[in-house]
Amino acid sequence: MRNRFLPGFVIGIVCTLVVLAVGAFAVAKAGLIPANADAKPSMLERRFAGMARDAAVNRYAPTDDNPVKLSDENLMAGMKLYKNQCQGCHGAPGDAENKFGQAMYPSIPQFPARKHPMGMSEQQIYWIGKHGFRLTGMPAFTDMMTDDELWKTALFIKHMSQLPPAVEEAWRKP
């Protein structure tokens, strides 16, 4: 026996989805969604953006081990790269708060203040450095740094809270 309510139910769902899509477009087109970096984002925006970021990094980051081995020499090289390429936005040793990084939206993670890069693996840090993030101010360093440099920087960021004495001393120097 054919269900005579099913076609009407499906049409109702489709119409509801179309109305929601048109409504979302109209709200965006009318400028009712804040686009300024100093506006506090809604909880929905924070959760959705964070979920999308985390899912993309988990999906696309390489799964192979970092080809750059943990050594004082590689950490020192990574530290120099971080100071030249990352420190302006992500902070320096002793920075409680990097005003430039905090003025961005979303605010930029301050690695020295956090003691670790949000629990990310070296592979995830490498992928973010290589490809950047849309609409965040994080550029893709694909054409600015070699893969070896990106891996050394990721190695340093991952281990910046437990550096060997020589690297720690160089890191703390202004």
Side-chain angles (χ1 to χ4, degrees):
M1 179 174 177
R2 187 174 160 199
N3 187 339
R4 62 181 185 195
F5 297 108
L6 188 58
F9 180 72
V10 170
I11 290 171
I13 289 175
V14 170
C15 287
T16 301
L17 292 175
V18 168
V19 167
L20 288 173
V22 169
F25 177 80
V27 167
K29 188 73 174 164
L32 298 174
I33 299 173
N36 50 316
D38 58 353
K40 185 175 180 173
S42 69
M43 183 179 295
L44 177 66
E45 182 181 352
R46 285 193 314 270
R47 287 191 183 204
F48 186 77
M51 176 188 64
R53 178 201 62 222
D54 294 345
V57 171
N58 288 334
R59 179 180 184 131
Y60 297 113
T63 56
D64 296 339
D65 288 341
N66 184 343
V68 174
K69 299 302 172 205
L70 181 60
S71 69
D72 287 13
E73 181 182 337
N74 287 332
L75 285 169
M76 189 71 78
M79 180 267 304
K80 289 175 183 174
L81 289 162
Y82 178 91
K83 279 188 168 188
N84 289 330
Q85 300 291 346
C86 313
Q87 182 171 291
C89 294
H90 290 286
D95 278 356
E97 182 180 314
N98 176 321
K99 296 284 187 199
F100 181 76
Q102 295 304 307
M104 298 286 285
Y105 174 74
S107 63
I108 298 171
Q110 301 299 295
F111 295 142
R114 285 180 176 247
K115 302 288 187 208
H116 61 83
M118 302 173 291
M120 291 184 172
S121 68
E122 290 172 32
Q123 293 87 342
Q124 292 169 321
I125 298 166
Y126 162 85
W127 186 88
I128 292 169
K130 184 171 180 92
H131 300 286
F133 270 122
R134 290 180 185 176
L135 307 175
T136 67
M138 176 64 192
F141 281 89
T142 302
D143 297 330
M144 295 181 272
M145 296 173 74
T146 66
D147 277 352
D148 184 65
E149 290 172 328
L150 286 162
W151 279 115
K152 285 177 180 172
T153 306
L155 181 78
F156 171 74
I157 291 169
K158 183 64 180 175
H159 296 278
M160 71 172 30
S161 64
Q162 62 229 10
L163 296 171
V167 181
E168 181 72 32
E169 183 180 333
W171 170 233
R172 298 280 168 202
K173 282 184 184 174

